[in-house]
Amino acid sequence: MGNTNRLRAKITGTGMCVPDQVITNDDLAQRMDTSDEWIRQRSGIQERRWIRPGETPADLGKQAIEQACEQAGCEPGDIDCLLLATLSSQHDFPGSSFFVHEALDMGEIPCMDLRAQCSGFLYALSIADSLVIAGKFKRVLVIGCEVHSTGIDVSTRGRDVAVLFGDGAGAVIVEPQEDEGDEAGIIEVRMHAEGKHARRLWIEAPTSANTPVRITHEMIDDARIFPQMEGRYVFKHAVTRMPEVLLETLNATSHKLEDVNLFLFHQANLRINEAVAQRLELSEDRLFNNIQKYGNCSAASIPMLLAETTRDGRLKPGHLISMTAFGSGFTWASALVRW
Ligand code: UT7
């Protein structure tokens, strides 16, 4: 059920960062057998950003957080807990959050990586909501941070996945606020997972389940180190689960579809989002997508949408927004927030 106490967790700042290197569909067509027409038609993507040599996930994360702090009117040093969602960690061991922590010189505050892939931001937002409502922390930073470009197969063999992904980071700051009857803040978050589909969209290796070592030359030669996806299978599940969890979240509150001012969907494929909107009969003026410019930035995609819409005036104080994601695992989640 939604929060019934007088304290709410509110998103007080948003920020994003993408690398400055633009990779167009035509650029990809020079590396693999693909075309601008195929990519646009199937996914809506026109270009994406890739890091340059020397850039790291932590660099993107740092800038997204600095922007979010500026909007929230605080300093990185005022944050007391850092939750980072990613599926492309800077190092598998210990993850990405620690390098962001280091880059921002965040003292001794706790930080952790959360693994729920493209739904990771909403999962982390739900945890931040609980932590803030419980009074454990006063200013929780939630960040989605992905560098896919160094982990995809940019030959024709990997084209079905490689053309979809981009690099980026998006961050929000979550703080407690007294509910003055205007319900401003996070109203409800619902999450689901179904592990039996984990192998339909995954990276097989390295794996700690492989003995005696996690990675072999053979695994590399067989391209098992790159993401593999059963595209149509994933697509079918996404267009079913996203409307389902969006409605479940709304139905847990007193709100209806027509009350929502803005729908923000995970940016995996414009065609998925169009299909979801069609199923729910949502008018275009209540949707916003940026996959055309950035590709699929997984856990970063929803906070990047928040950063853009708070700055371009689409998202205004008082608006009711519905955010929904689907990703590897499979995972899916939806959040309803009063801005
Ligand atoms: O973040 C959440 C996870 N990701 C998703 O939600 C993505 C879900 N899936 C999808 O978005 C779509 O399935 C794709 C965009 C990945 C693929 O679209 P599709 O319409 O399902 O294409 P397909 O996989 O059935 O492939 C159709 C054809 C194949 O050729 P043949 O067998 O018909 O000769 C592929 O080999 O397109 C070929 N193909 C490509 N051609 C040009 C696959 N990738 C490419 C490419 N460029 N990049």
Side-chain angles (χ1 to χ4, degrees):
M1 290 301 293
N3 300 320
T4 48
N5 51 351
R6 301 269 301 159
L7 207 58
R8 276 197 190 277
K10 189 169 190 304
I11 297 175
T12 54
T14 69
M16 67 172 276
C17 175
V18 288
D20 67 0
Q21 182 178 207
V22 177
I23 304 291
T24 64
N25 294 341
D26 287 333
D27 291 333
L28 291 180
Q30 292 184 1
R31 295 164 175 252
M32 61 183 83
D33 182 12
T34 190
S35 65
D36 179 52
E37 193 196 355
W38 192 97
I39 300 170
R40 276 184 202 236
Q41 233 176 47
R42 305 281 174 137
S43 72
I45 299 167
Q46 297 169 19
E47 57 188 43
R48 72 286 295 138
R49 305 296 184 94
W50 285 5
I51 58 164
R52 294 178 190 278
E55 275 184 298
T56 67
D59 295 334
L60 303 182
K62 177 175 186 275
Q63 289 180 58
I65 291 170
E66 284 170 347
Q67 251 192 31
C69 284
E70 202 182 312
Q71 202 177 62
C74 68
E75 299 291 330
D78 299 328
I79 293 159
D80 50 12
C81 179
L82 167 61
L83 305 177
L84 186 147
T86 190
L87 67 80
S88 55
S89 44
Q90 188 158 328
H91 293 272
D92 259 355
F93 184 177
S96 283
S97 58
F98 305 92
F99 300 98
V100 172
H101 193 285
E102 176 192 34
L104 282 160
D105 200 8
M106 299 179 97
E108 296 179 6
I109 67 157
C111 69
M112 68 189 91
D113 281 36
L114 191 138
R115 304 286 306 264
Q117 297 58 255
C118 299
S119 310
F121 173 76
L122 295 181
Y123 267 61
L125 191 68
S126 173
I127 294 168
D129 180 37
S130 304
L131 291 172
V132 163
I133 297 296
K136 295 267 185 206
F137 297 102
K138 286 248 168 303
R139 208 173 263 116
V140 179
L141 195 130
V142 180
I143 175 166
C145 185
E146 306 282 6
V147 168
H148 288 306
S149 59
T150 51
I152 47 177
D153 181 357
V154 290
S155 71
T156 296
R157 186 178 55 185
R159 65 182 180 174
D160 58 327
V161 175
V163 300
L164 301 176
F165 286 113
D167 302 342
V172 303
I173 291 171
V174 181
E175 299 184 60
Q177 178 166 298
E178 289 294 319
D179 187 347
E180 314 258 315
D182 57 1
E183 71 171 8
I186 299 166
I187 300 169
E188 183 69 55
V189 188
R190 293 285 170 127
M191 301 172 279
H192 293 282
E194 208 171 17
K196 69 182 181 191
H197 306 295
R199 293 169 194 81
R200 307 285 186 151
L201 173 53
W202 72 330
I203 296 178
E204 198 184 335
T207 164
S208 55
N210 195 66
T211 55
V213 284
R214 294 173 180 189
I215 184 93
T216 62
H217 290 290
E218 196 189 355
M219 285 169 160
I220 298 172
D221 295 342
D222 292 348
R224 286 149 73 189
I225 56 167
F226 296 120
Q228 296 158 42
M229 173 170 71
E230 290 179 41
R232 297 206 162 199
Y233 189 87
V234 176
F235 195 105
K236 250 177 31 198
H237 280 256
V239 299
T240 308
R241 293 307 198 179
M242 288 173 70
E244 209 175 270
V245 71
L246 188 158
L247 290 176
E248 177 195 334
T249 308
L250 268 180
N251 291 341
T253 74
S254 56
H255 295 290
K256 303 203 162 12
L257 268 183
E258 49 271 30
D259 301 334
V260 177
N261 300 96
L262 187 62
F263 293 91
L264 299 177
F265 297 145
H266 167 53
Q267 305 288 293
N269 184 331
L270 200 56
R271 309 300 162 229
I272 291 178
N273 293 355
E274 287 167 354
V276 172
Q278 200 178 13
R279 280 185 185 208
L280 295 170
E281 297 179 17
L282 309 178
S283 57
E284 232 177 79
D285 58 316
R286 293 195 293 160
L287 305 168
F288 177 67
N289 293 292
N290 60 12
I291 189 171
Q292 301 89 333
K293 292 184 291 182
Y294 305 125
N296 180 352
C297 296
S298 300
S301 75
I302 289 182
M304 283 167 59
L305 289 168
L306 288 174
E308 286 201 337
T309 52
T310 52
R311 284 169 178 80
D312 69 12
R314 263 191 192 85
L315 182 48
K316 295 187 176 68
H319 273 176
L320 190 64
I321 61 164
S322 167
M323 303 178 269
T324 305
F326 179 89
S328 156
F330 289 159
T331 55
W332 60 104
S334 187
L336 189 69
V337 172
R338 174 76 68 188
W339 207 254

